[in-house]
Tab-separated table of all heavy atoms in Angstrom:
chain	number	residue	atom	x	y	z
A	247	ALA	N	-13.623	22.364	-31.725
A	247	ALA	CA	-12.891	21.634	-32.758
A	247	ALA	C	-13.491	20.256	-33.000
A	247	ALA	O	-13.020	19.546	-33.904
A	247	ALA	CB	-11.430	21.459	-32.317
A	248	GLY	N	-14.524	19.885	-32.284
A	248	GLY	CA	-15.100	18.573	-32.448
A	248	GLY	C	-14.298	17.468	-31.816
A	248	GLY	O	-14.369	16.349	-32.244
A	249	GLY	N	-13.483	17.768	-30.842
A	249	GLY	CA	-12.666	16.747	-30.183
A	249	GLY	C	-12.025	17.303	-28.937
A	249	GLY	O	-10.815	17.345	-28.844
A	250	ALA	N	-12.772	17.762	-27.976
A	250	ALA	CA	-12.206	18.331	-26.754
A	250	ALA	C	-11.356	17.305	-26.051
A	250	ALA	O	-11.573	16.114	-26.163
A	250	ALA	CB	-13.325	18.818	-25.833
A	251	GLY	N	-10.436	17.809	-25.228
A	251	GLY	CA	-9.531	16.917	-24.519
A	251	GLY	C	-8.245	16.669	-25.297
A	251	GLY	O	-7.406	15.918	-24.884
A	252	ALA	N	-8.099	17.299	-26.466
A	252	ALA	CA	-6.864	17.162	-27.229
A	252	ALA	C	-5.735	17.811	-26.475
A	252	ALA	O	-5.917	18.712	-25.713
A	252	ALA	CB	-7.024	17.805	-28.620
A	253	ARG	N	-4.502	17.352	-26.766
A	253	ARG	CA	-3.367	17.828	-26.006
A	253	ARG	C	-2.275	18.343	-26.940
A	253	ARG	O	-1.176	17.828	-26.984
A	253	ARG	CB	-2.816	16.715	-25.116
A	253	ARG	CG	-3.751	16.399	-23.970
A	253	ARG	CD	-3.473	15.022	-23.413
A	253	ARG	NE	-4.193	14.015	-24.188
A	253	ARG	CZ	-3.939	12.746	-24.116
A	253	ARG	NH1	-2.992	12.296	-23.350
A	253	ARG	NH2	-4.614	11.881	-24.849
A	254	GLY	N	-2.575	19.349	-27.680
A	254	GLY	CA	-1.548	19.974	-28.486
A	254	GLY	C	-1.063	19.075	-29.588
A	254	GLY	O	-1.749	18.176	-30.070
A	255	ALA	N	0.186	19.310	-30.030
A	255	ALA	CA	0.732	18.577	-31.148
A	255	ALA	C	0.915	17.097	-30.843
A	255	ALA	O	0.922	16.265	-31.720
A	255	ALA	CB	2.068	19.171	-31.537
A	256	SER	N	1.085	16.760	-29.567
A	256	SER	CA	1.307	15.365	-29.191
A	256	SER	C	0.014	14.643	-28.888
A	256	SER	O	0.018	13.483	-28.500
A	256	SER	CB	2.212	15.284	-27.971
A	256	SER	OG	1.583	15.916	-26.864
A	257	GLY	N	-1.142	15.271	-29.054
A	257	GLY	CA	-2.421	14.679	-28.713
A	257	GLY	C	-2.917	13.750	-29.798
A	257	GLY	O	-2.244	13.480	-30.791
A	258	PRO	N	-4.148	13.211	-29.657
A	258	PRO	CA	-4.718	12.281	-30.605
A	258	PRO	C	-4.799	12.873	-31.996
A	258	PRO	O	-5.193	14.020	-32.172
A	258	PRO	CB	-6.106	11.992	-30.020
A	258	PRO	CG	-5.993	12.330	-28.583
A	258	PRO	CD	-5.023	13.448	-28.509
A	259	ARG	N	-4.484	12.108	-33.002
A	259	ARG	CA	-4.630	12.560	-34.371
A	259	ARG	C	-6.093	12.603	-34.779
A	259	ARG	O	-6.922	11.834	-34.286
A	259	ARG	CB	-3.873	11.613	-35.306
A	259	ARG	CG	-2.368	11.628	-35.080
A	259	ARG	CD	-1.699	10.592	-35.893
A	259	ARG	NE	-2.096	9.264	-35.452
A	259	ARG	CZ	-1.780	8.138	-36.095
A	259	ARG	NH1	-1.073	8.166	-37.183
A	259	ARG	NH2	-2.159	6.969	-35.603
A	260	ARG	N	-6.449	13.472	-35.727
A	260	ARG	CA	-7.840	13.625	-36.121
A	260	ARG	C	-8.006	13.512	-37.604
A	260	ARG	O	-7.102	13.782	-38.385
A	260	ARG	CB	-8.360	15.010	-35.691
A	260	ARG	CG	-8.201	15.267	-34.188
A	260	ARG	CD	-8.485	16.736	-33.903
A	260	ARG	NE	-8.225	17.058	-32.523
A	260	ARG	CZ	-9.091	16.931	-31.534
A	260	ARG	NH1	-10.291	16.501	-31.805
A	260	ARG	NH2	-8.766	17.223	-30.287
A	261	THR	N	-9.189	13.125	-38.000
A	261	THR	CA	-9.561	13.153	-39.409
A	261	THR	C	-10.042	14.541	-39.744
A	261	THR	O	-10.161	15.414	-38.886
A	261	THR	CB	-10.712	12.132	-39.667
A	261	THR	OG1	-11.870	12.559	-38.930
A	261	THR	CG2	-10.304	10.731	-39.216
A	262	GLU	N	-10.375	14.773	-41.038
A	262	GLU	CA	-10.811	16.110	-41.432
A	262	GLU	C	-12.113	16.495	-40.769
A	262	GLU	O	-12.425	17.675	-40.587
A	262	GLU	CB	-10.980	16.144	-42.967
A	262	GLU	CG	-9.633	16.056	-43.704
A	262	GLU	CD	-9.816	16.155	-45.215
A	262	GLU	OE1	-10.995	16.282	-45.630
A	262	GLU	OE2	-8.815	16.114	-45.939
A	263	SER	N	-12.929	15.515	-40.410
A	263	SER	CA	-14.197	15.816	-39.744
A	263	SER	C	-14.046	16.105	-38.284
A	263	SER	O	-14.977	16.474	-37.598
A	263	SER	CB	-15.155	14.608	-39.929
A	263	SER	OG	-14.618	13.476	-39.297
A	264	GLY	N	-12.828	15.925	-37.763
A	264	GLY	CA	-12.579	16.214	-36.360
A	264	GLY	C	-12.589	15.021	-35.468
A	264	GLY	O	-12.364	15.120	-34.278
A	265	ALA	N	-12.882	13.824	-35.990
A	265	ALA	CA	-12.917	12.633	-35.182
A	265	ALA	C	-11.536	12.141	-34.899
A	265	ALA	O	-10.610	12.295	-35.688
A	265	ALA	CB	-13.730	11.524	-35.891
A	266	HIS	N	-11.374	11.505	-33.734
A	266	HIS	CA	-10.077	10.979	-33.372
A	266	HIS	C	-9.781	9.715	-34.170
A	266	HIS	O	-10.652	8.902	-34.431
A	266	HIS	CB	-10.065	10.622	-31.858
A	266	HIS	CG	-10.047	11.825	-30.991
A	266	HIS	ND1	-8.914	12.380	-30.518
A	266	HIS	CD2	-11.070	12.602	-30.517
A	266	HIS	CE1	-9.201	13.437	-29.764
A	266	HIS	NE2	-10.503	13.565	-29.759
A	267	ARG	N	-8.530	9.548	-34.566
A	267	ARG	CA	-8.123	8.369	-35.271
A	267	ARG	C	-7.087	7.649	-34.422
A	267	ARG	O	-6.093	8.220	-34.005
A	267	ARG	CB	-7.460	8.768	-36.613
A	267	ARG	CG	-7.130	7.592	-37.495
A	267	ARG	CD	-6.638	8.070	-38.843
A	267	ARG	NE	-5.411	8.846	-38.713
A	267	ARG	CZ	-5.054	9.795	-39.563
A	267	ARG	NH1	-5.840	10.133	-40.563
A	267	ARG	NH2	-3.902	10.414	-39.406
A	268	PRO	N	-7.299	6.329	-34.137
A	268	PRO	CA	-6.402	5.612	-33.272
A	268	PRO	C	-4.976	5.598	-33.816
A	268	PRO	O	-4.734	5.524	-35.012
A	268	PRO	CB	-6.974	4.179	-33.253
A	268	PRO	CG	-8.425	4.337	-33.649
A	268	PRO	CD	-8.439	5.521	-34.579
A	269	ALA	N	-3.996	5.699	-32.909
A	269	ALA	CA	-2.605	5.662	-33.304
A	269	ALA	C	-2.175	4.226	-33.609
A	269	ALA	O	-2.831	3.271	-33.201
A	269	ALA	CB	-1.727	6.229	-32.192
A	270	ALA	N	-1.098	4.070	-34.348
A	270	ALA	CA	-0.538	2.766	-34.615
A	270	ALA	C	-0.006	2.165	-33.326
A	270	ALA	O	0.157	2.853	-32.320
A	270	ALA	CB	0.562	2.867	-35.647
A	271	SER	N	0.260	0.837	-33.339
A	271	SER	CA	0.748	0.186	-32.149
A	271	SER	C	2.047	0.781	-31.663
A	271	SER	O	2.946	1.108	-32.441
A	271	SER	CB	0.930	-1.318	-32.436
A	271	SER	OG	1.543	-1.953	-31.347
A	272	ALA	N	2.168	0.909	-30.351
A	272	ALA	CA	3.373	1.443	-29.767
A	272	ALA	C	4.569	0.529	-30.019
A	272	ALA	O	5.727	0.972	-30.042
A	272	ALA	CB	3.192	1.645	-28.254
A	273	LEU	N	4.325	-0.757	-30.212
A	273	LEU	CA	5.395	-1.687	-30.458
A	273	LEU	C	6.045	-1.464	-31.814
A	273	LEU	O	7.130	-2.002	-32.078
A	273	LEU	CB	4.893	-3.136	-30.360
A	273	LEU	CG	5.949	-4.222	-30.096
A	273	LEU	CD1	6.661	-3.957	-28.778
A	273	LEU	CD2	5.307	-5.610	-30.079
A	274	GLY	N	5.421	-0.680	-32.654
A	274	GLY	CA	6.019	-0.346	-33.930
A	274	GLY	C	7.195	0.632	-33.813
A	274	GLY	O	7.959	0.792	-34.757
A	275	VAL	N	7.365	1.248	-32.634
A	275	VAL	CA	8.495	2.128	-32.389
A	275	VAL	C	9.693	1.262	-32.033
A	275	VAL	O	9.656	0.517	-31.039
A	275	VAL	CB	8.181	3.113	-31.243
A	275	VAL	CG1	9.381	4.014	-30.965
A	275	VAL	CG2	6.937	3.934	-31.579
A	276	PRO	N	10.792	1.327	-32.800
A	276	PRO	CA	11.944	0.433	-32.532
A	276	PRO	C	12.474	0.565	-31.107
A	276	PRO	O	12.853	-0.458	-30.484
A	276	PRO	CB	12.982	0.905	-33.546
A	276	PRO	CG	12.185	1.505	-34.660
A	276	PRO	CD	11.013	2.138	-33.995
A	277	GLY	N	12.496	1.777	-30.567
A	277	GLY	CA	13.017	1.947	-29.232
A	277	GLY	C	12.179	1.231	-28.175
A	277	GLY	O	12.728	0.775	-27.166
A	278	VAL	N	10.881	1.109	-28.385
A	278	VAL	CA	10.030	0.415	-27.434
A	278	VAL	C	10.365	-1.070	-27.399
A	278	VAL	O	10.378	-1.703	-26.345
A	278	VAL	CB	8.537	0.613	-27.797
A	278	VAL	CG1	7.640	-0.244	-26.921
A	278	VAL	CG2	8.163	2.080	-27.635
A	279	ARG	N	10.722	-1.624	-28.544
A	279	ARG	CA	11.088	-3.049	-28.596
A	279	ARG	C	12.401	-3.294	-27.827
A	279	ARG	O	12.543	-4.290	-27.147
A	279	ARG	CB	11.195	-3.505	-30.058
A	279	ARG	CG	9.894	-3.441	-30.838
A	279	ARG	CD	9.961	-4.244	-32.119
A	279	ARG	NE	10.876	-3.696	-33.074
A	279	ARG	CZ	10.544	-2.798	-34.005
A	279	ARG	NH1	9.299	-2.338	-34.078
A	279	ARG	NH2	11.452	-2.339	-34.884
A	280	VAL	N	13.333	-2.359	-27.969
A	280	VAL	CA	14.584	-2.508	-27.214
A	280	VAL	C	14.311	-2.405	-25.719
A	280	VAL	O	14.834	-3.189	-24.908
A	280	VAL	CB	15.608	-1.418	-27.658
A	280	VAL	CG1	16.864	-1.483	-26.794
A	280	VAL	CG2	15.967	-1.581	-29.121
A	281	LEU	N	13.487	-1.430	-25.331
A	281	LEU	CA	13.183	-1.256	-23.915
A	281	LEU	C	12.411	-2.462	-23.353
A	281	LEU	O	12.585	-2.808	-22.182
A	281	LEU	CB	12.381	0.021	-23.713
A	281	LEU	CG	13.152	1.328	-23.889
A	281	LEU	CD1	12.192	2.512	-23.853
A	281	LEU	CD2	14.227	1.460	-22.812
A	282	ALA	N	11.625	-3.114	-24.183
A	282	ALA	CA	10.929	-4.302	-23.720
A	282	ALA	C	11.919	-5.386	-23.318
A	282	ALA	O	11.725	-6.077	-22.311
A	282	ALA	CB	9.985	-4.819	-24.827
A	283	VAL	N	12.973	-5.542	-24.085
A	283	VAL	CA	14.020	-6.508	-23.728
A	283	VAL	C	14.716	-6.086	-22.434
A	283	VAL	O	14.984	-6.915	-21.549
A	283	VAL	CB	15.035	-6.662	-24.881
A	283	VAL	CG1	16.174	-7.590	-24.462
A	283	VAL	CG2	14.360	-7.174	-26.121
A	284	VAL	N	14.988	-4.809	-22.310
A	284	VAL	CA	15.624	-4.279	-21.102
A	284	VAL	C	14.743	-4.583	-19.879
A	284	VAL	O	15.259	-5.017	-18.844
A	284	VAL	CB	15.868	-2.752	-21.247
A	284	VAL	CG1	16.269	-2.151	-19.906
A	284	VAL	CG2	16.943	-2.487	-22.298
A	285	PHE	N	13.451	-4.379	-20.019
A	285	PHE	CA	12.544	-4.612	-18.916
A	285	PHE	C	12.342	-6.110	-18.645
A	285	PHE	O	11.997	-6.513	-17.528
A	285	PHE	CB	11.221	-3.904	-19.161
A	285	PHE	CG	11.226	-2.474	-18.731
A	285	PHE	CD1	12.171	-1.598	-19.215
A	285	PHE	CD2	10.251	-1.984	-17.867
A	285	PHE	CE1	12.206	-0.267	-18.821
A	285	PHE	CE2	10.279	-0.653	-17.475
A	285	PHE	CZ	11.251	0.201	-17.949
A	286	LEU	N	12.537	-6.955	-19.675
A	286	LEU	CA	12.557	-8.396	-19.415
A	286	LEU	C	13.638	-8.747	-18.408
A	286	LEU	O	13.430	-9.569	-17.496
A	286	LEU	CB	12.777	-9.147	-20.734
A	286	LEU	CG	11.575	-9.412	-21.639
A	286	LEU	CD1	12.043	-9.950	-22.981
A	286	LEU	CD2	10.597	-10.390	-20.989
A	287	GLY	N	14.803	-8.153	-18.604
A	287	GLY	CA	15.892	-8.385	-17.666
A	287	GLY	C	15.592	-7.928	-16.258
A	287	GLY	O	15.921	-8.603	-15.270
A	288	ILE	N	14.927	-6.784	-16.148
A	288	ILE	CA	14.510	-6.295	-14.835
A	288	ILE	C	13.529	-7.248	-14.196
A	288	ILE	O	13.582	-7.544	-12.997
A	288	ILE	CB	13.940	-4.867	-14.944
A	288	ILE	CG1	15.041	-3.873	-15.366
A	288	ILE	CG2	13.294	-4.427	-13.633
A	288	ILE	CD1	14.536	-2.477	-15.632
A	289	GLY	N	12.609	-7.769	-15.000
A	289	GLY	CA	11.651	-8.740	-14.487
A	289	GLY	C	12.326	-10.000	-13.985
A	289	GLY	O	11.881	-10.624	-13.011
A	290	SER	N	13.442	-10.391	-14.620
A	290	SER	CA	14.177	-11.585	-14.162
A	290	SER	C	14.732	-11.389	-12.758
A	290	SER	O	14.899	-12.357	-11.997
A	290	SER	CB	15.292	-11.929	-15.136
A	290	SER	OG	16.389	-11.028	-15.016
A	291	VAL	N	15.054	-10.156	-12.380
A	291	VAL	CA	15.523	-9.870	-11.045
A	291	VAL	C	14.394	-10.069	-10.041
A	291	VAL	O	14.543	-10.736	-9.004
A	291	VAL	CB	16.087	-8.435	-10.946
A	291	VAL	CG1	16.565	-8.163	-9.522
A	291	VAL	CG2	17.246	-8.259	-11.915
A	292	PHE	N	13.228	-9.514	-10.360
A	292	PHE	CA	12.077	-9.665	-9.448
A	292	PHE	C	11.700	-11.122	-9.276
A	292	PHE	O	11.556	-11.639	-8.139
A	292	PHE	CB	10.870	-8.876	-9.971
A	292	PHE	CG	10.993	-7.394	-9.865
A	292	PHE	CD1	10.938	-6.586	-11.014
A	292	PHE	CD2	11.189	-6.780	-8.662
A	292	PHE	CE1	11.056	-5.217	-10.910
A	292	PHE	CE2	11.339	-5.396	-8.560
A	292	PHE	CZ	11.249	-4.623	-9.687
A	293	GLY	N	11.524	-11.859	-10.393
A	293	GLY	CA	11.112	-13.247	-10.305
A	293	GLY	C	12.148	-14.160	-9.674
A	293	GLY	O	11.836	-15.009	-8.833
A	294	GLY	N	13.429	-13.953	-10.045
A	294	GLY	CA	14.488	-14.770	-9.485
A	294	GLY	C	14.647	-14.576	-7.991
A	294	GLY	O	14.853	-15.542	-7.244
A	295	LEU	N	14.525	-13.337	-7.542
A	295	LEU	CA	14.684	-13.065	-6.092
A	295	LEU	C	13.496	-13.603	-5.313
A	295	LEU	O	13.662	-14.122	-4.212
A	295	LEU	CB	14.858	-11.568	-5.876
A	295	LEU	CG	16.226	-10.975	-6.164
A	295	LEU	CD1	16.253	-9.495	-5.833
A	295	LEU	CD2	17.305	-11.712	-5.384
A	296	GLN	N	12.283	-13.460	-5.846
A	296	GLN	CA	11.111	-13.913	-5.111
A	296	GLN	C	11.195	-15.399	-4.791
A	296	GLN	O	11.024	-15.810	-3.655
A	296	GLN	CB	9.841	-13.616	-5.914
A	296	GLN	CG	9.392	-12.167	-5.866
A	296	GLN	CD	8.125	-11.920	-6.646
A	296	GLN	OE1	7.637	-12.795	-7.378
A	296	GLN	NE2	7.590	-10.735	-6.511
A	297	VAL	N	11.481	-16.203	-5.821
A	297	VAL	CA	11.558	-17.656	-5.604
A	297	VAL	C	12.799	-18.061	-4.796
A	297	VAL	O	12.725	-18.877	-3.867
A	297	VAL	CB	11.508	-18.386	-6.952
A	297	VAL	CG1	11.714	-19.901	-6.767
A	297	VAL	CG2	10.170	-18.142	-7.654
A	298	SER	N	13.939	-17.485	-5.147
A	298	SER	CA	15.179	-17.860	-4.483
A	298	SER	C	15.200	-17.450	-3.006
A	298	SER	O	15.713	-18.192	-2.148
A	298	SER	CB	16.383	-17.234	-5.210
A	298	SER	OG	16.424	-17.709	-6.540
A	299	LEU	N	14.671	-16.284	-2.697
A	299	LEU	CA	14.600	-15.866	-1.295
A	299	LEU	C	13.664	-16.772	-0.492
A	299	LEU	O	13.923	-17.122	0.661
A	299	LEU	CB	14.154	-14.408	-1.181
A	299	LEU	CG	15.189	-13.342	-1.580
A	299	LEU	CD1	14.562	-11.943	-1.538
A	299	LEU	CD2	16.380	-13.384	-0.636
A	300	THR	N	12.549	-17.169	-1.143
A	300	THR	CA	11.610	-18.069	-0.478
A	300	THR	C	12.292	-19.406	-0.163
A	300	THR	O	12.195	-19.944	0.940
A	300	THR	CB	10.366	-18.310	-1.362
A	300	THR	OG1	9.708	-17.068	-1.599
A	300	THR	CG2	9.379	-19.251	-0.667
A	301	ALA	N	13.000	-19.942	-1.154
A	301	ALA	CA	13.707	-21.230	-0.966
A	301	ALA	C	14.816	-21.082	0.079
A	301	ALA	O	15.042	-21.982	0.903
A	301	ALA	CB	14.277	-21.694	-2.295
A	302	PHE	N	15.536	-19.974	0.046
A	302	PHE	CA	16.642	-19.761	0.980
A	302	PHE	C	16.129	-19.665	2.442
A	302	PHE	O	16.729	-20.332	3.323
A	302	PHE	CB	17.389	-18.448	0.617
A	302	PHE	CG	18.429	-18.050	1.605
A	302	PHE	CD1	19.673	-18.679	1.630
A	302	PHE	CD2	18.190	-17.036	2.537
A	302	PHE	CE1	20.645	-18.308	2.563
A	302	PHE	CE2	19.140	-16.650	3.444
A	302	PHE	CZ	20.376	-17.285	3.448
A	303	THR	N	15.103	-18.908	2.676
A	303	THR	CA	14.591	-18.766	4.055
A	303	THR	C	13.961	-20.059	4.536
A	303	THR	O	13.996	-20.349	5.734
A	303	THR	CB	13.580	-17.612	4.117
A	303	THR	OG1	12.524	-17.815	3.169
A	303	THR	CG2	14.260	-16.289	3.869
A	304	GLU	N	13.355	-20.855	3.636
A	304	GLU	CA	12.841	-22.162	4.039
A	304	GLU	C	13.972	-23.093	4.432
A	304	GLU	O	13.874	-23.847	5.402
A	304	GLU	CB	12.032	-22.778	2.906
A	304	GLU	CG	10.686	-22.117	2.626
A	304	GLU	CD	9.623	-22.544	3.614
A	304	GLU	OE1	9.904	-23.426	4.469
A	304	GLU	OE2	8.519	-21.968	3.586
A	305	GLU	N	15.068	-23.045	3.686
A	305	GLU	CA	16.188	-23.942	3.945
A	305	GLU	C	16.849	-23.669	5.291
A	305	GLU	O	17.255	-24.589	6.011
A	305	GLU	CB	17.239	-23.814	2.836
A	305	GLU	CG	18.416	-24.799	2.986
A	305	GLU	CD	19.431	-24.642	1.874
A	305	GLU	OE1	20.086	-23.598	1.819
A	305	GLU	OE2	19.574	-25.574	1.074
Side-chain angles (χ1 to χ4, degrees):
R253 289 159 276 165
S256 62
R259 295 173 294 172
R260 304 169 186 272
T261 64
E262 291 182 359
S263 63
H266 289 266
R267 186 174 64 207
S271 173
L273 201 60
V275 179
V278 173
R279 296 196 293 270
V280 175
L281 288 172
V283 176
V284 169
F285 275 54
L286 277 170
I288 293 175
S290 74
V291 179
F292 288 121
L295 283 182
Q296 283 181 350
V297 174
S298 298
L299 286 175
T300 301
F302 173 78
T303 54
E304 287 282 354
E305 184 180 66

